[in-house]
Amino acid sequence: MSHPLIVNLERHGPLSDEERQVLQQITARVVAYRPREEIVAEGSTPSHSSLILEGFATRHNHSADGKRQITAFHVPGDFADLHSFLLKRMDGGVGALTACRVAQVAHGDLREITKRYPYLTRVLWFTTLVDGAVHRAWMTTLGRMAAGERLAHFFCELRDRLETVGMTKGDSYELPITQEELGDAFGMSTVHVNRVLQELRAEGLIASHGKTLVIRDWERLKHMGQYDPGYLHKDQKLERD
Amino acid sequence: MSHPLIVNLERHGPLSDEERQVLQQITARVVAYRPREEIVAEGSTPSHSSLILEGFATRHNHSADGKRQITAFHVPGDFADLHSFLLKRMDGGVGALTACRVAQVAHGDLREITKRYPYLTRVLWFTTLVDGAVHRAWMTTLGRMAAGERLAHFFCELRDRLETVGMTKGDSYELPITQEELGDAFGMSTVHVNRVLQELRAEGLIASHGKTLVIRDWERLKHMGQYDPGYLHKDQKLERD
DNA sequence: CGCTGTCTTGAAAGGACTCAACGCCGGTGG
DNA sequence: CCACCGGCGTTGAGTCCTTTCAAGACAGCG
């Protein structure tokens, strides 16, 4: 069983034995969460960052009037709140969608990394920048695309992200996200999510059996969601030196 | 005339003389842009990052069908694309709203900083994380708030950001942003921006004379936009050691 | 077997968009 | 010095997307 963080970071270039060892060490403390459980509370100031090892998680902000905006979905290998290392105060919370195993990385350990391992620092920084790029892609769908296009875009994005961690089976993958959560992520009511999903199914773009999503026409889905995976910077190499 | 970047970074803790000197050096190359001019092209791979010294700039993504989403407004002291240091390929472009003076910081210099100046590295990383926090705040307004509330929120945010760089005069500030641009930023048509602004004025929340925005009732504007400046992490201190 | 969370459906109301036209103002060139 | 031009702001009317409210169907779980 390979370490999901190491696998993720090595997509951008090889790590030294020492670096791999450091990553092993700082991710040694693992905690389990049940479905729906809160991992990091909105407004809290954790002293560690949470790395998802198994399961799906969300990041979400609540507006003052109680509405929820989901700002990110996280899959194994993702740091859900690496930003809390420097930002300290969580502007949004992190929650488990399914049962999760999470490594807690002490902020002190991360600070040590910035002192001793410049390359590791840059790759970690890099992952937070990709996070921002995904935010911008979502903003673009939220602000300028129709409801169905937003969902199409997301299903494409999630496919690519799950594929890199080996969690797709051909054209399908597990999507443990309710319609309410999709609505909270993409700015639509649950009812409307439901109707739009029906259209996507009727169009022959997707199908779903239980929690499994099947992509029936990748090309048309991609086209509808105007999906271009560049912003994920999946295989972007970083200079070691 | 103090250096806007140094002032900005020192809000989070004092810099050493050496660090200040390094920052001076790497921001020595300055370029001027005219209003509307493109600073960094979408899809390009610049070898430097752009620091706004004077003027207003935007970051924007275009969807495949030509619509524009503005993902950020930048004011003096902001790095518009520090992320291009590691991400390389620009997922969105940077453009001048007004005449701008911009310092071009070579990516090579930034890499050197990650090797020699861990604290400086952390503060710079920090600024990109705040950028992400602002993205999340915008996503929340885009997905879950009404049109008028989104604008109210933004006027509050911009006030606070301009205040920290001394660009407010009491309750008012220069807002060199057209209604079309506001629409592209907050997911609404130009026509609708116009009507919503009229409502904000009629409600006595704001007034505008030419390009000057006057906040006439801060408390109510804040309340309407559900504005809580925490996500800007304005005076968050970072540990030097 | 009943409960609860999730999905689905229908109908009515409302927010936002599009299209189209007009007014205003500063800049420019004759 | 004035008339024209273009960018920006403003208005009106009709349409459509999305929401809200309400209720029923379904499925997994204890």
Side-chain angles (χ1 to χ4, degrees):
Chain A
M1 47 178 290
S2 52
H3 190 117
L5 178 61
I6 294 178
V7 171
N8 248 349
L9 299 188
E10 286 208 309
R11 290 211 321 267
H12 309 108
L15 298 173
S16 70
D17 290 342
E18 191 183 351
E19 286 163 343
R20 272 197 295 270
Q21 201 182 329
V22 169
L23 290 176
Q24 289 279 7
Q25 283 166 6
I26 67 174
T27 56
R29 192 166 83 214
V30 175
V31 178
Y33 294 91
R34 278 164 307 175
R36 316 270 123 192
E37 204 173 340
E38 181 171 70
I39 297 178
V40 188
E42 203 165 336
S44 67
T45 56
S47 56
H48 59 260
S49 289
S50 294
L51 170 73
I52 311 295
L53 297 173
E54 279 174 30
F56 282 72
T58 60
R59 213 131 38 103
H60 42 76
N61 287 227
H62 280 89
S63 62
D65 57 355
K67 289 176 189 154
R68 176 174 67 161
Q69 173 68 41
I70 291 177
T71 55
F73 287 111
H74 288 298
V75 304
D78 289 355
F79 257 114
D81 65 337
L82 184 48
H83 55 282
S84 74
F85 158 43
L86 294 169
L87 253 27
K88 294 303 176 192
R89 187 166 193 287
M90 294 292 291
D91 53 273
V94 179
L97 235 32
T98 65
C100 283
R101 282 183 61 247
V102 173
Q104 301 186 331
V105 181
H107 289 165
D109 289 344
L110 292 168
R111 201 172 332 124
E112 281 307 311
I113 286 181
T114 64
K115 290 192 236 169
R116 300 218 196 119
Y117 302 97
Y119 175 71
L120 220 39
T121 303
R122 291 200 297 274
V123 216
L124 288 172
W125 186 352
F126 175 87
T127 66
T128 65
L129 295 177
V130 171
D131 209 63
V134 175
H135 286 344
R136 289 189 288 278
W138 283 33
M139 286 176 68
T140 305
T141 73
L142 272 170
R144 284 289 173 243
M145 285 166 54
E149 299 170 357
R150 294 204 283 274
L151 292 181
H153 182 99
F154 173 63
F155 293 146
C156 291
E157 176 190 306
L158 195 56
R159 192 204 86 116
D160 278 354
R161 288 172 55 198
L162 287 174
E163 191 178 47
T164 67
V165 289
M167 290 176 67
T168 52
K169 311 175 198 69
D171 293 326
S172 69
Y173 56 82
E174 293 305 298
L175 182 76
I177 301 176
T178 66
Q179 296 182 354
E180 185 182 1
E181 286 152 352
L182 285 175
D184 283 345
F186 300 106
M188 39 209 290
S189 67
T190 310
V191 171
H192 200 230
V193 170
N194 184 283
R195 294 197 233 263
V196 170
L197 284 176
Q198 287 180 53
E199 277 174 33
L200 294 183
R201 287 191 281 251
E203 291 268 333
L205 298 178
I206 61 166
S208 48
H209 312 104
K211 292 193 185 309
T212 302
L213 182 87
V214 183
I215 294 180
R216 293 186 54 198
D217 192 331
W218 174 249
E219 284 307 321
R220 280 203 301 142
L221 190 68
K222 219 168 97 172
H223 182 257
M224 178 173 189
Q226 299 179 31
Y227 178 68
D228 170 1
Y231 68 94
L232 292 175
H233 299 264
K234 235 195 325 186
D235 299 304
Q236 158 91 48
K237 301 301 178 205
L238 296 186
E239 299 164 73
R240 268 210 71 89
D241 175 45
Chain B
M1 45 178 289
S2 51
H3 191 117
L5 177 61
I6 294 177
V7 172
N8 247 349
L9 298 188
E10 286 208 307
R11 291 211 320 268
H12 309 109
L15 298 174
S16 70
D17 290 343
E18 191 183 351
E19 286 163 344
R20 271 196 296 270
Q21 202 182 329
V22 169
L23 291 176
Q24 289 280 6
Q25 283 166 6
I26 67 174
T27 56
R29 191 165 82 214
V30 176
V31 178
Y33 294 91
R34 279 164 307 175
R36 318 269 123 194
E37 205 173 340
E38 181 171 71
I39 297 178
V40 187
E42 204 165 335
S44 67
T45 56
S47 57
H48 58 259
S49 289
S50 294
L51 171 72
I52 312 294
L53 297 173
E54 279 173 30
F56 283 73
T58 60
R59 214 132 36 103
H60 41 76
N61 286 228
H62 280 90
S63 62
D65 57 356
K67 290 176 189 155
R68 175 174 68 161
Q69 173 70 39
I70 291 177
T71 55
F73 288 109
H74 288 298
V75 304
D78 290 355
F79 257 114
D81 66 337
L82 183 49
H83 55 281
S84 74
F85 159 43
L86 295 169
L87 253 27
K88 294 302 175 195
R89 186 163 194 287
M90 292 293 290
D91 54 271
V94 179
L97 234 32
T98 64
C100 283
R101 283 182 61 244
V102 173
Q104 300 186 331
V105 181
H107 289 165
D109 289 344
L110 291 168
R111 201 170 333 122
E112 281 307 310
I113 284 181
T114 65
K115 290 192 235 169
R116 299 218 197 120
Y117 302 97
Y119 175 70
L120 219 39
T121 303
R122 291 200 297 275
V123 215
L124 288 172
W125 186 352
F126 175 87
T127 65
T128 66
L129 295 176
V130 171
D131 210 63
V134 174
H135 286 344
R136 290 190 287 280
W138 283 33
M139 287 176 67
T140 305
T141 73
L142 272 171
R144 284 290 173 241
M145 284 166 56
E149 299 170 357
R150 295 204 283 275
L151 292 181
H153 182 99
F154 173 63
F155 292 146
C156 290
E157 176 190 308
L158 195 55
R159 193 204 85 117
D160 277 354
R161 289 171 54 199
L162 288 174
E163 191 178 45
T164 67
V165 289
M167 289 178 67
T168 53
K169 310 174 199 71
D171 293 327
S172 69
Y173 56 82
E174 293 304 299
L175 182 76
I177 301 176
T178 66
Q179 295 183 353
E180 186 182 1
E181 286 152 353
L182 285 174
D184 283 345
F186 300 106
M188 40 209 288
S189 67
T190 310
V191 170
H192 200 230
V193 170
N194 184 283
R195 293 197 234 263
V196 170
L197 284 177
Q198 287 180 52
E199 277 174 34
L200 294 183
R201 287 191 281 251
E203 291 266 335
L205 298 178
I206 60 165
S208 47
H209 311 104
K211 293 192 185 310
T212 303
L213 182 86
V214 183
I215 294 180
R216 293 187 52 199
D217 192 330
W218 174 250
E219 283 307 322
R220 279 204 300 143
L221 190 69
K222 219 168 97 171
H223 182 258
M224 178 175 188
Q226 300 180 30
Y227 178 67
D228 171 359
Y231 68 93
L232 292 176
H233 298 265
K234 235 196 322 188
D235 299 305
Q236 158 91 49
K237 300 302 177 204
L238 296 185
E239 299 164 73
R240 268 209 73 89
D241 175 45

